[in-house]
Amino acid sequence: MAGKVQFFSRVGKTRIIPIGLKMLVVFIVLILLSNFITNFISLQLTQRQIINLNNTIMVSQLKELYSTSSNQYQIYLYSGNRAETVEALNKVAATGFTNANSVALGVSPDGQFQFFSDANELAVWPDFDATALKLLNTNREQGIEEGSISFGSPYGDYFGVYKYQSDWDYFIVRAEMRTDLQKNNYRVYMIISILIITLTLFFVVVGYIIIRREFRGLRSFTDDLITMQQKKQLQLIDISKAPNDDVTYMAASFNALSMQVNNLLDTFQKFVSKDIVAKAYAGRDVGLEGKQRDLAMLFSDVKSFTYRTETLGNDIIEVLNVHYNRVIHNVHENSGIVGSIIGDAILAIYGTLDSKRSKAYNAVISAWNITRATAELRQEMLARREEIEKTRKLTESEEKVFQAVMVDVGVGIDGGKVFYGTIGRNDFEDPRQSHMTNTVIGDTVNSASRLEGLTRIYHIPVVVSESIKNEVSEETARYKFIEIDTVQVKGKTKGKKIYFPFDTNEMDESLLVQYQQFEEGLKAYYEGDWKTARKVFKGLELDVTQVFLERMGTKGAPADWSGIWAMTTK
């Protein structure tokens, strides 16, 4: 089970964002927009109400000023002191001021201030707004002596109410600066906004906890899917602790599909080579295609297979399966792929998969591993025989079976240019009619098969070509390649040197000395000095020398001797 998905984790170059986080962000944005827009509309409507309320208040204050001015006019007629009347009006006006820039004034039709009172007591107005004054005079001429008025000032725009005072012959104006009301509105707006944000953050935390709790199953499913993609392998999603909802149902459906696909993939991987499987996993189309490639071919065949089949009957399949289980493991372990299995023979291909070692080196390692694996199998059979013979001797039929299961193989390896790819039919309209197979075609394939056949003649387990010998020798000194012969196989016009790869890590050094002596005798054999060659070969305890001793007999080399032995059979 993978760890929890972190925000903005990646699959390849794609960022993975939890769906719960997306939903939460969308809800936050929508909630904030809804609250701010609602708040703004509410404030706009409230501002209208406030203006109307202020107008009502100012009308009330205007009436008080008007009444005071009428009374002060009577006092003025008695006392003649105009300054006292102005001071009285200013005091009455100041008691009604509620904002920083509230004003009350008296302006004559010609624009002269008769009295002036402001809340901050610092305002200095040189004159009254000419446009507003003209409107006041026009309304008065039309018989309108009171109403609402807007006017400008050195400090900003005002709105208010007015009433004409006929005794004094001036207009009494009570007004408020528009920005004062807007500041109040903005202050209220900010307070409400802070409350909205605070409450939103609170509910976001609560919502995140709830959403995280509800979507924990989906988060776990996402972790599993990311792990599958990284491993390129389908697995089952753990739904043991998932809630009973539609997301869990989706995961259960995925599990059912995953099991079916895994069964198909398992079958697919068993019947096709590893490079085709890797290509399919990488998401690339597998079609009819192929090209010339430089590859190494390993051909392995079970010796005396006809005898084993006649003796074991259908049980030969079980023996072959035990044998191939080890052979195929060795091929895959050394970056090879199985090209084909034909009865008792297997063709392995090297060079199609990435590897730190060369294709030839991998092939030689596989060859020796295959021979060791079959030797181990024979040792197991010998141990089994010894156990039985502790109590009784094998019967004649048991002896035949024992000999039949003592599997031995020969391995031939060659390398070179071959055609490698897929052939067959690819029906796009009806895939059921398609059938393709991965194959390798070329003389190198046939050569590997013929080299394997030479293992029986020369009584050595592995035979390789000169190209394999050269490639491995450039890479490692582990193998000493012993030249065995120069042969001209049937169907060919030129001779070809063949080699035995002596493994210095595994084989006895004294045996290497004998093979080196064999090469000295082989040199004499090539030169036509068969007398010397016979002498060397007779002094060695190598099975391969018997081939040359029988070939030479007691005769000398033919007159047209080229050192090449022509094979009469494949």
Side-chain angles (χ1 to χ4, degrees), residues 198-256:
T198 302
L199 291 173
T200 300
L201 289 175
F202 172 74
F203 287 112
V204 162
V205 173
V206 175
Y208 176 76
I209 294 173
I210 294 173
I211 290 176
R212 184 178 178 84
R213 179 183 178 86
E214 291 298 318
F215 281 89
R216 63 184 183 277
L218 183 60
R219 188 170 61 253
S220 175
F221 301 160
T222 304
D223 292 342
D224 290 344
L225 291 173
I226 291 174
T227 301
M228 291 180 209
Q229 186 171 9
Q230 292 172 344
K231 293 182 177 179
K232 298 187 182 301
Q233 182 178 4
L234 284 174
Q235 298 173 342
L236 296 182
I237 295 175
D238 183 12
I239 59 175
S240 58
K241 298 181 180 180
N244 186 19
D245 55 23
D246 52 350
V247 175
T248 304
Y249 175 76
M250 179 179 66
S253 299
F254 174 86
N255 283 346

Side-chain angles (χ1 to χ4, degrees), residues 62 144-149 160-163:
L62 181 64
I144 304 173
E145 295 185 349
E146 61 182 291
S148 299
I149 184 68
V161 292
Y162 75 93
K163 186 176 178 65

Side-chain angles (χ1 to χ4, degrees), residues 452-465:
E452 184 280 323
L454 294 178
T455 62
R456 294 167 171 78
I457 296 175
Y458 293 94
H459 307 293
I460 51 178
V462 182
V463 173
V464 303
S465 67

Side-chain angles (χ1 to χ4, degrees), residues 46 82 100 104 137 200 204 266 269 277 365 414 416-417 436 438 441 450 465 492:
T46 303
R82 188 178 180 85
N137 287 325
T200 300
V204 162
D266 289 342
Q269 292 180 82
V277 173
I365 291 175
D414 198 0
K417 294 289 184 179
M436 296 183 292
N438 199 46
I441 302 172
R450 292 191 177 106
S465 67
K492 296 295 181 179

Side-chain angles (χ1 to χ4, degrees), residues 68 72-73 75-77 79-92 113-116 168 170:
T68 302
Q72 289 301 318
Y73 181 74
I75 295 172
Y76 168 71
L77 290 178
S79 66
N81 189 344
R82 188 178 180 85
E84 290 182 357
T85 61
V86 172
E87 184 179 354
L89 286 172
N90 287 338
K91 288 182 179 180
V92 172
F113 289 114
Q114 300 303 315
F115 74 90
F116 186 93
W168 290 102
Y170 59 60

